[in-house]
Amino acid sequence: MKLCIAEKPSVAKDIAKVLGATMPKQGYMEGNGYCVTWTFGHLCTLKEPHDYGPQYKSWNLFLLPIIPNNFGIKLISNKGVENQFKVIEKLVAECDEVINCGDAGQEGELIQRWVLQKSKCNKPIKRLWISSLTEEAIKEGFASLKPAEDYKNLYLAGNARAIGDWLLGINATRLFTKKFGGNKAVLSIGRVQTPTLAMLVQRQKEIDAFTTEEYWELKTKYREVIFNAAIDRLKNLDRAEKGLEYLKQNSFEIVSFEIKEGKEKNPRLFDLTGLQVEANKKYGYSAENTLNYIQSLYEKKHVTYPRVDTTYLSESLYPKIEGILRNMKFYQELIAPLLQAPIPKSKAVFDNTKVTDHHAIIPTEIPPSQNLSREEKLIYDLIAKRFISVFYPECKISNTLVEAKVGTIPFKTSGKQILEPGWRAVYAKEPKEETSEKDKEEEQTIPEFVAGETGPHDPIIHQGKTSPPKPYTEATLLRAMETAGKQVDDEELREMMKNNGIGRPSTRANIIETLFKRKYIEKKRKNLIATPTGIQLIDTIEDELLKSPELTGEWELKLRKIEKGEYEANQFKDELIQMVTELTKKVVDGKGKVITLEEEKTEPKEKKKREPAVKKEQQSWEETLCPKCQNHHLMKGKTAVGCSDFKNCGFKISFEIFGKKLSEKQLMDLVIKGKTSKLKGFTAHPENLTEGVIALSPEFITTLS
């Protein structure tokens, strides 16, 4: 008998169906010579400090650092986990061969290896490695199973990452909590969490320290085109007014006129970070929610494996592209032009040297049905349009640069026109993003000028103010994590820097959520703001290793090298042990102070202004758990709010109840608190009640009393 172990029940069900293991048993499926069972994600975890000795149960500064001789694993303390592990353990003992069908990534490999290690597996092990959950992909995967040995380095890297996070997280958190926490609360320190917070704090300090300055610029209009003086900004109004007088006394002359034709490259396919960035910018979705939506689309077989950090496809995928495009029925208007000629095989899309475990996120040949949530549809649309756009021609543009002068003062202007939209045609019907004044000037239509021509003009003074650095949003923070804090706009350069980014695409969302939970950061509209506690924590950490994105990026590079077999996992562990030991000594011997964990009070006026934005963020439907199933989030439709898994759960509340339309807040109260405040204006109650409190019954039916 061959035993297949998947990472979750839904994936096990898909695999069992393909293999013909259709007989349900307690905790597994059986048939056709196979047993297919599953984990629930992590069944095992690294042992906790007290598992190595009872003295570590209490947090004692002088027992630090805690460094076990050998790191052990244990089952997570949960009845369901323990029962499922017994099933796996029994099947491992009875089988002839194990097929590891875990999630095809570092974390998935670690989850499965720990379970097999805990169940004392000594049977031959093979690895299923697939990039989508379609029937075709599963069949192809089983036809080319790999030896488990091929993925040993992937496991070593995952194990080293877990041990590294344990060593630093456990020791540094206890160290800083006991030294600076004042016995009030835990001060959480993490290998990726702390440098991420440090970036936010640094930006916050730059914003707080910024002093706005006024400046004046000279501009003039000639033949309906705005020209800007090519001189430094003027710091006082007197100089600007003198300049204006000078401009009025002199005529305008064109010095040079140049048109250059150029191309705008197609956008790249999405990796996970790119998708999270786009979803945050376009729809305001958090990184964690985007990951949940794309994971759901993957499990429904509509997209390929999402936890990826490459924007390229394998060359072997090329023959399948036309079939995928033909199946994307909803987008046939955009796809039809592509199918009139062979699909281009560009190196910007297909490059084996840029693909590691998986390729970029693309649609599968299975188009989505109508039962997707609104959020899932929007995420699928982002992926589908990006996939289509990479096969379109480049966008052809013309850049116009005009230089002029008024007396001795030089002026210039520029404009950009789209000659052939190319890939931009895919996005032609989408609403345009708000453009800045600078962008508007760049987009102005410029007539043909001739060098030497002169004429009257209308000079003006433009007054402006210097702007502070922009706060991070989730989109810009994800990009900063990807490049270890460096500002990188060029996509090719960013691709090269990914090895030194902090965190992994699959963990960055969780890091940001952890900072929210710890109250080190908060959200104001889309902006991420470091709280006073977060700022104090970073100010207290003197060790640059703990809070430097660049140095954390170097650790990340070493973990990737372990994955490739270019670096020893034990060496990585020894380096972290040395760092933790030195850090402990420095902090224990240093001066103590207590971090204030309460939020600083702001002036009432300011608080009133800011409160609604925060409140609105906390009350979005997509972040509210369904009160009935407690597993899925809610979604808002045209006439009701309901569970995103409505088909199975069935929870729904209409906007209009007993003839009264409820406000967003009243609906939210009903969902979260189980009842509203007292309301009036009901017109369609069977007992003719016109006022009262709406409540949810234990069966989740609305009542009025």
Side-chain angles (χ1 to χ4, degrees):
M1 178 263 283
K2 293 180 180 180
L3 172 63
C4 301
I5 309 175
E7 195 171 308
K8 55 173 69 175
S10 59
V11 177
K13 191 178 170 187
D14 290 333
I15 291 169
K17 187 181 173 188
V18 171
L19 295 176
T22 53
M23 194 182 296
K25 299 280 185 176
Q26 190 66 42
Y28 66 102
M29 308 281 284
E30 188 177 23
N32 203 23
Y34 288 94
C35 282
V36 183
T37 188
W38 55 83
T39 62
F40 311 117
H42 283 274
L43 291 193
C44 296
T45 184
L46 287 173
K47 286 182 177 177
E48 294 171 73
H50 62 260
D51 295 316
Y52 297 105
Q55 69 273 28
Y56 296 127
K57 201 147 197 166
S58 62
W59 290 28
N60 187 327
L61 202 58
F62 302 102
L63 289 175
L64 299 177
I66 304 165
I67 299 168
N69 291 328
N70 291 300
F71 281 84
I73 56 169
K74 66 175 185 177
L75 275 182
I76 287 170
S77 182
N78 174 289
K79 197 68 185 162
V81 165
E82 288 161 13
N83 290 340
Q84 187 61 18
F85 178 74
K86 281 175 188 169
V87 171
I88 295 170
E89 194 173 34
K90 173 179 168 289
L91 292 171
V92 164
E94 293 171 355
C95 74
D96 304 310
E97 177 183 283
V98 174
I99 300 170
N100 174 354
C101 305
D103 202 13
Q106 194 186 95
E107 196 72 4
E109 190 67 21
L110 184 68
I111 286 168
Q112 297 286 329
R113 295 264 186 153
W114 276 356
V115 167
L116 291 170
Q117 192 179 317
K118 188 73 182 164
S119 61
K120 297 183 172 62
C121 177
N122 57 4
K123 304 293 170 68
I125 303 170
K126 287 185 179 165
R127 184 58 155 110
L128 174 73
W129 195 269
I130 51 178
S131 285
S132 82
L133 292 172
T134 63
E135 188 175 325
E136 184 190 357
I138 293 169
K139 281 179 178 173
E140 283 179 10
F142 272 94
S144 56
L145 292 170
K146 308 283 193 299
E149 192 62 23
D150 289 4
Y151 299 93
K152 185 185 173 186
N153 289 330
L154 188 68
Y155 159 68
L156 290 174
N159 200 53
R161 177 184 295 278
I163 287 172
D165 289 344
W166 191 101
L167 275 168
L168 196 59
I170 293 286
N171 285 297
T173 297
R174 290 188 175 204
L175 182 65
F176 279 82
T177 298
K178 292 308 290 179
K179 187 77 177 180
F180 306 111
N183 295 320
K184 288 182 182 175
V186 172
L187 297 177
S188 173
I189 308 283
R191 188 179 59 83
V192 180
Q193 171 194 314
T194 303
T196 303
L197 176 59
M199 287 195 292
L200 286 156
V201 168
Q202 178 62 27
R203 179 63 56 88
Q204 190 66 39
K205 287 184 171 181
E206 288 167 5
I207 293 167
D208 293 344
F210 187 83
T211 307
T212 300
E213 292 178 357
E214 289 186 327
Y215 63 84
W216 290 264
E217 293 175 313
L218 298 174
K219 293 176 182 266
T220 193
K221 187 191 277 191
Y222 173 70
R223 286 178 58 187
E224 298 305 310
V225 176
I226 302 289
F227 285 78
N228 300 299
I231 57 174
D232 291 339
R233 287 171 169 175
L234 304 170
K235 296 290 167 60
N236 63 66
L237 183 58
D238 279 351
R239 285 192 66 194
E241 286 174 341
K242 283 175 186 171
L244 184 65
E245 282 307 309
Y246 178 81
L247 294 180
K248 285 177 178 176
Q249 291 162 16
N250 288 276
S251 63
F252 185 93
E253 182 183 343
I254 296 289
V255 175
S256 69
F257 176 73
E258 185 182 16
I259 296 178
K260 280 185 180 175
E261 287 196 8
K263 290 178 180 178
E264 277 187 352
K265 287 182 181 177
N266 302 50
R268 289 197 181 280
L269 290 168
F270 282 125
D271 59 6
L272 178 58
T273 303
L275 181 65
Q276 287 170 319
V277 166
E278 193 68 12
N280 183 256
K281 278 171 22 184
K282 208 162 185 182
Y283 305 122
Y285 295 163
S286 69
E288 186 180 45
N289 282 340
T290 299
L291 179 56
N292 291 338
Y293 303 143
I294 184 71
Q295 180 68 23
S296 175
L297 286 168
Y298 168 65
E299 288 172 18
K300 289 171 181 171
K301 309 178 187 59
H302 303 314
V303 299
T304 58
Y305 184 71
R307 290 170 158 81
V308 297
D309 61 358
T310 182
T311 57
Y312 292 86
L313 298 179
S314 315
E315 288 158 37
S316 61
L317 267 176
Y318 176 74
K320 296 184 178 181
I321 299 301
E322 188 179 330
I324 295 171
L325 288 166
R326 285 189 187 280
N327 281 335
M328 295 169 70
K329 305 294 184 196
F330 186 75
Y331 299 91
Q332 282 310 300
E333 192 182 325
L334 296 173
I335 290 165
L338 294 179
L339 299 176
Q340 290 170 7
I343 302 296
K345 193 177 181 181
S346 157
K347 201 75 175 166
V349 179
F350 300 94
D351 190 343
N352 284 350
T353 64
K354 303 285 176 66
V355 177
T356 49
D357 301 333
H358 294 280
H359 53 71
I361 305 168
I362 61 170
T364 66
E365 64 274 21
I366 299 175
S369 56
Q370 289 302 309
N371 66 350
L372 295 184
S373 70
R374 177 178 175 272
E375 292 80 6
E376 287 170 354
K377 284 177 184 171
L378 291 173
I379 294 296
Y380 181 84
D381 187 63
L382 288 178
I383 295 162
K385 284 183 177 165
R386 184 64 65 94
F387 178 62
I388 295 164
S389 72
V390 300
F391 301 115
Y392 265 68
E394 289 179 318
C395 170
K396 288 185 181 175
I397 57 170
S398 79
N399 289 310
T400 308
L401 179 64
V402 191
E403 292 182 349
K405 63 178 182 178
V406 178
T408 58
I409 298 177
F411 277 80
K412 64 181 179 182
T413 194
S414 61
K416 181 176 84 173
Q417 274 79 45
I418 292 174
L419 304 176
E420 292 177 26
W423 62 267
R424 283 188 173 275
V426 176
Y427 300 96
K429 292 181 180 176
E430 298 208 352
K432 283 192 174 181
E433 292 178 18
E434 286 183 30
T435 50
S436 64
E437 283 299 316
K438 189 183 173 189
D439 290 337
K440 280 178 188 170
E441 283 184 17
E442 274 187 10
E443 285 173 12
Q444 62 184 333
T445 303
I446 295 178
E448 191 156 327
F449 293 111
V450 179
E453 74 171 85
T454 60
H457 62 112
D458 300 312
I460 56 165
I461 295 170
H462 171 258
Q463 184 180 356
K465 287 180 181 179
T466 54
S467 301
K470 289 182 177 176
Y472 279 113
T473 61
E474 284 208 32
T476 55
L477 181 62
L478 285 165
R479 283 296 186 213
M481 291 173 81
E482 190 179 53
T483 56
K486 293 184 175 67
Q487 184 68 43
V488 180
D489 294 322
D490 183 82
E491 286 194 333
E492 283 182 32
L493 184 57
R494 195 159 60 218
E495 193 76 27
M496 289 163 63
M497 292 184 71
K498 283 180 180 178
N499 284 349
N500 285 65
I502 61 174
R504 286 180 76 83
S506 54
T507 60
R508 287 176 190 141
N510 186 253
I511 294 294
I512 296 169
E513 289 304 312
T514 300
L515 292 173
F516 279 124
K517 283 172 193 161
R518 300 285 183 197
K519 298 206 167 21
Y520 295 157
I521 64 171
E522 60 188 5
K523 195 181 277 188
K524 294 187 177 172
R525 296 184 181 89
K526 272 192 177 183
N527 297 333
L528 304 182
I529 309 294
T531 63
T533 303
I535 293 169
Q536 283 186 68
L537 178 57
I538 292 300
D539 286 347
T540 304
I541 300 169
E542 292 177 359
D543 198 298
E544 277 305 306
L545 273 167
L546 271 184
K547 56 184 181 179
S548 162
E550 291 87 353
L551 292 170
T552 306
E554 284 175 25
W555 291 343
E556 205 66 45
L557 182 62
K558 286 173 182 175
L559 285 164
R560 287 174 187 266
K561 282 184 172 178
I562 293 169
E563 207 172 292
K564 293 174 187 171
E566 297 168 3
Y567 203 81
E568 284 294 321
N570 282 335
Q571 190 177 338
F572 179 77
K573 185 174 89 173
D574 291 344
E575 286 170 8
L576 271 173
I577 287 171
Q578 186 184 343
M579 180 203 152
V580 165
T581 306
E582 289 170 3
L583 174 71
T584 304
K585 188 176 186 314
K586 194 190 292 183
V587 172
V588 170
D589 294 346
K591 286 182 181 176
K593 68 171 185 179
V594 175
I595 291 178
T596 312
L597 290 154
E598 293 80 24
E599 293 282 322
E600 284 181 3
K601 287 181 181 175
T602 51
E603 291 174 20
K605 270 188 184 177
E606 194 171 324
K607 192 174 178 184
K608 271 187 182 176
K609 274 184 200 169
R610 292 184 179 183
E611 211 170 275
V614 177
K615 203 172 180 182
K616 188 178 177 185
E617 195 67 45
Q618 289 169 343
Q619 293 190 332
S620 72
W621 292 111
E622 66 187 36
E623 291 176 352
T624 306
L625 264 185
C626 171
K628 186 175 179 182
C629 69
Q630 293 288 318
N631 284 326
H632 296 83
H633 290 85
L634 296 177
M635 56 181 280
K636 185 179 176 184
K638 288 181 181 175
T639 59
V641 169
C643 181
S644 56
D645 187 31
F646 178 76
K647 196 174 176 184
N648 296 313
C649 168
F651 178 74
K652 183 172 81 170
I653 297 180
S654 297
F655 297 157
E656 191 174 293
I657 300 174
F658 302 128
K660 177 178 174 62
K661 192 168 183 181
L662 268 62
S663 70
E664 196 105 341
K665 185 186 180 307
Q666 288 161 349
L667 280 169
M668 188 63 80
D669 283 348
L670 184 56
V671 168
I672 293 173
K673 299 174 184 174
K675 62 180 182 179
T676 64
S677 54
K678 191 169 183 180
L679 304 174
K680 293 181 180 179
F682 296 100
T683 58
H685 190 268
E687 295 171 18
N688 296 323
L689 292 177
T690 57
E691 60 180 70
V693 173
I694 301 176
L696 280 178
S697 73
E699 294 78 33
F700 296 94
I701 295 165
T702 49
T703 61
L704 180 64
S705 56

